[in-house]
């Protein structure tokens, strides 16, 4: 009665998750933890591949973990742990570095994009080998499935290539994981520029709804969301991206069909829709915020949860690494 294994990671690179992370990732993971043996990793070693502030990184690592628990990841059922607590990640990454082609790594588009942003002198070798560390993250747990966004497809392909290559050179060692690209899940757009996806990397935070923001900050952002001049509350992704985004969020958070929301607001103004949406968002996030604060107010208890999870993760990861070392003559 062995459940399939899923692995997924998130960088502790902001103080608060945003609505896109919540809808596009977190709610899926919470649902998946029943049917899978789930590993959710706060990948803090990925976060140091770009300039970072140590005190901030430590705080964000705890805050990220706390938000996941607050949103429903159950630390008793899922292994929610911090990457640097499990040394096998970097140990396996080194091994995988030695079977990765330089050109192969150089073709990763995310590296090309990021290195352009930072310039070649500020771009670390760590950023270059980031996808190899990501492969190690996944392969250590013999993951069957990796739920990721479309932007990670190429990295999962590399992971599969490395697993297959290792298996054929050194003997069957790794499960070759499948990507589960989350296409069906709603994509959430920036409230100020609804043609761009909501992202922590947006230039301005005016269109970004953060899980941990106070209710009045979020309400203001929603009330100021960009709409259109036509005045009708109707879903039309191309013609009315702003209003459609508001309807999508309303629908996902309440579990109601968009048509039923359109009917409820028929003949009323955008202001009413926004007020209603602000309430829905607040109902969703206020318990998550409260629970996050509670968890963060007792860092010893949070550290105890994370350390218990690290023990479980270490056990599985070390067993895989042992097999790898044996296979390679290390
Ligand atoms: P960001 O774009 O803010 O940097 P990440 O790349 O860290 O977000 O994504 C973390 C997770 O959240 C991924 O699974 C991603 O697919 C999901 N996600 C991020 N932004 C959105 C969005 N606007 N709509 C839906 N899902 C999103
Ligand atoms: Na991103």
């Amino acid at each position: 009665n062995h459940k399939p294994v899923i692995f997924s990671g998130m960088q502790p690179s902001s103080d608060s998750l945003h609505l896109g992370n919540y809808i596009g990732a977190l709610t899926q993971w919470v649902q998946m933890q029943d049917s899978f043996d789930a590993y959710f990793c706060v990948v803090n070693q990925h976060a140091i591949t770009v300039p970072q502030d140590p005190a901030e990184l430590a705080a964000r690592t705890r805050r990220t973990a706390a938000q996941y628990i607050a949103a429903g990841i159950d630390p008793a059922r899922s292994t929610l742990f911090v990457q640097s607590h499990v040394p096998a990640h970097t140990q396996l990454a080194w091994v995988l570095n030695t079977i990765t082609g330089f050109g192969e790594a150089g073709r990763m588009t995310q590296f090309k994009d990021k290195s352009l942003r930072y310039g070649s002198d500020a771009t670390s070798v760590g950023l270059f080998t980031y996808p190899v560390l990501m492969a190690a993250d996944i392969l250590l747990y013999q993951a069957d499935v990796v739920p990721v966004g479309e932007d990670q497809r190429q990295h999962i392909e590399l992971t599969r290539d490395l697993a297959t290559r290792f298996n054929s050179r050194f003997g069957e060692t790794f499960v070759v994981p499948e990507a589960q690209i989350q296409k069906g899940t709603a994509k959430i757009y920036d409230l100020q520029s609804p043609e761009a996806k909501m992202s922590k990397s947006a230039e301005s935070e005016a269109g970004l709804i953060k899980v941990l923001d106070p209710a009045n900050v979020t309400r203001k952002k929603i009330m100021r969301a960009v709409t259109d001049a036509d005045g009708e509350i109707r879903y039309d992704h191309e013609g009315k991206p702003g209003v459609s985004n508001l309807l999508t969020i309303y629908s996902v958070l309440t579990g109601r069909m968009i048509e039923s929301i359109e009917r409820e607001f028929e003949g009323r103004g955008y202001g009413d829709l926004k007020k209603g949406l602000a309430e829905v968002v607040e109902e969703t996030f206020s318990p998550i915020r409260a629970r996050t604060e509670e968890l963060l107010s007792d860092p010893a208890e949070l550290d105890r949860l994370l350390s218990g999870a690290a023990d479980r993760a270490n056990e599985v990861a070390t067993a895989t690494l042992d097999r790898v070392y044996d296979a390679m003559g290390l």
Side-chain angles (χ1 to χ4, degrees):
N1 205 346
H2 189 74
K3 286 182 185 173
V5 176
I6 55 167
F7 177 94
S8 205
M10 51 271 174
Q11 285 199 44
S13 46
S14 60
D15 280 331
S16 171
L17 297 174
H18 60 74
L19 184 67
N21 301 140
Y22 177 77
I23 288 174
L26 197 41
T27 56
Q28 328 289 326
W29 297 355
V30 169
Q31 283 165 21
M32 282 188 264
Q33 66 184 342
D34 287 322
S35 34
F36 290 91
D37 181 9
Y39 292 85
F40 298 117
C41 182
V42 182
V43 290
N44 57 347
Q45 285 162 309
H46 286 277
I48 63 171
T49 58
V50 297
Q52 57 94 14
D53 176 82
E56 212 168 59
L57 179 63
R60 287 174 170 182
T61 299
R62 276 211 191 97
R63 287 172 80 83
T64 301
Q67 287 173 85
Y68 276 86
I69 297 170
I73 300 289
D74 176 2
R77 271 184 295 167
S78 295
T79 305
L80 171 60
F81 70 105
V82 177
Q83 188 183 32
S84 64
H85 296 176
V86 181
H89 288 251
T90 47
Q91 291 171 300
L92 180 60
W94 178 254
V95 167
L96 296 178
N97 269 324
T98 67
I99 64 162
T100 306
F102 190 79
E104 187 177 35
R107 284 191 290 275
M108 296 295 119
T109 57
Q110 206 165 84
F111 170 75
K112 289 194 219 168
D113 293 347
K114 284 196 186 173
S115 58
L116 278 178
R117 198 181 320 155
Y118 292 108
S120 100
D121 279 341
T123 299
S124 69
V125 174
L127 187 64
F128 185 65
T129 62
Y130 176 120
V132 180
L133 178 58
M134 180 169 161
D137 298 337
I138 295 164
L139 298 180
L140 274 178
Y141 301 95
Q142 307 287 8
D144 298 289
V145 178
V146 189
V148 287
E150 179 62 43
D151 58 323
Q152 294 297 322
R153 185 191 288 279
Q154 198 186 25
H155 291 165
I156 306 303
E157 273 311 309
L158 177 70
T159 302
R160 291 170 53 83
D161 289 345
L162 293 177
T164 307
R165 189 173 307 156
F166 188 98
N167 287 348
S168 76
R169 282 195 200 163
F170 301 107
E172 259 337 284
T173 306
F174 295 121
V175 169
V176 180
E178 298 285 343
Q180 183 183 301
I181 309 279
Q182 290 163 354
K183 267 206 222 85
T185 66
K187 187 166 168 188
I188 306 304
Y189 296 87
D190 190 279
L191 298 186
Q192 285 303 317
S193 18
E195 47 306 308
K197 84 162 197 153
M198 187 177 284
S199 169
K200 61 175 176 285
S201 328
E203 253 162 60
S204 149
E205 291 206 340
L208 186 73
I209 299 182
K210 293 165 142 189
V211 174
L212 297 184
D213 268 352
N216 62 322
V217 171
T218 295
R219 192 181 331 108
K220 244 180 232 161
K221 287 181 181 176
I222 293 174
M223 295 311 291
R224 288 175 189 163
V226 165
T227 50
D228 52 57
D230 128 295
E232 199 186 332
I233 298 176
R234 175 171 49 84
Y235 187 93
D236 172 3
H237 178 65
E238 298 299 321
K240 297 165 67 68
V243 172
S244 301
N245 188 39
L246 299 178
L247 285 168
T248 301
I249 299 169
Y250 202 113
S251 161
V252 175
L253 294 186
T254 56
R256 287 174 54 192
M257 307 283 283
I258 288 194
E259 298 74 50
S260 131
I261 301 161
E262 285 172 340
R263 244 176 281 124
E264 180 187 338
F265 287 99
E266 209 177 317
R268 294 161 69 188
Y270 293 155
D272 283 350
L273 174 66
K274 290 173 169 180
K275 262 186 224 145
L277 180 60
E279 276 166 34
V280 165
V281 170
E282 174 57 9
E283 271 165 36
T284 308
F285 286 167
S286 95
I288 297 177
R289 221 159 45 226
R291 180 79 181 111
T292 302
E293 291 312 324
E294 201 177 290
L295 286 158
L296 291 174
S297 71
D298 189 355
E301 170 61 10
L302 184 57
D303 289 351
R304 195 190 60 76
L305 287 174
L306 292 174
S307 135
D311 289 346
R312 289 206 297 279
N314 264 306
E315 215 171 287
V316 177
T318 308
T320 303
L321 188 69
D322 281 350
R323 290 177 57 191
V324 168
Y325 276 17
D326 277 350
M328 288 195 97
L330 290 168

